[in-house]
Amino acid sequence: MKLKLILVGLILLFVAFALAGNANAVTLSGDFSGTAYQQETIIESYNLCNTDDIARVLTLKAVGDNASWISIGQESAAYSAGECRTVYAFITPHPYADAGDYEIQLVVNNEATFSNFFKLTVLQGHTISLTLNNSNQTASQVSGFTPKAQIY
């Protein structure tokens, strides 16, 4: 009976170590910060590696708030054991995003495999300065102009 318990314990311990070793079999390196104006696209390149000793399909994607601002060049691909590839991310803040700092989560396969936050600073890009002088305003209508309305 004690031998069975010890054997089951060792098997569970072995499985736990195998899963823990497999959970971090991915590396993603590159610059995880950038600055852009509203609706300006910036491009970041990342080195995505399968550090496992078996082939794996790796998927890089953005999740959470503002994930739609990031488009991954080749989101998913099969990687040989030890293979690394350059993956491009195209980051475009919403045209009406408030100026400020944002964090967008990047994950490979799932959060247990790899997760990091891209820190994006959005700069105000749509600023208009307008001064009106009431004494110089005029309005006129071009003679012979008749507005037309068409109802569908």
Side-chain angles (χ1 to χ4, degrees), residues 45-116:
S45 62
Y46 296 101
N47 193 33
L48 179 58
C49 297
N50 173 19
T51 57
D52 205 346
D53 56 357
I54 60 170
R56 300 178 70 181
V57 174
L58 300 180
T59 302
L60 174 65
K61 61 185 174 183
V63 297
D65 294 342
N66 305 316
S68 63
W69 295 3
I70 296 184
S71 175
I72 307 297
Q74 184 175 4
E75 192 172 274
S76 186
Y79 283 71
S80 301
E83 181 180 7
C84 295
R85 295 184 189 175
T86 301
V87 179
Y88 294 94
F90 304 87
I91 300 105
T92 308
H94 190 273
Y96 300 109
D98 291 330
D101 295 324
Y102 296 86
E103 286 189 339
I104 304 168
Q105 188 176 16
L106 294 174
V107 297
V108 178
N109 291 356
N110 59 50
E111 293 178 35
T113 303
F114 178 88
S115 177
N116 200 353

Side-chain angles (χ1 to χ4, degrees), residues 8-25 52-53:
V8 169
L10 288 174
I11 290 172
L12 289 175
L13 189 60
F14 175 74
V15 169
F17 278 118
L19 290 175
N22 203 17
N24 293 320
D52 205 346
D53 56 357

Side-chain angles (χ1 to χ4, degrees), residues 20-42:
N22 203 17
N24 293 320
V26 171
T27 61
L28 182 66
S29 58
D31 187 3
F32 289 93
S33 64
T35 301
Y37 287 99
Q38 299 142 325
Q39 203 166 4
E40 173 191 23
T41 300
I42 59 173

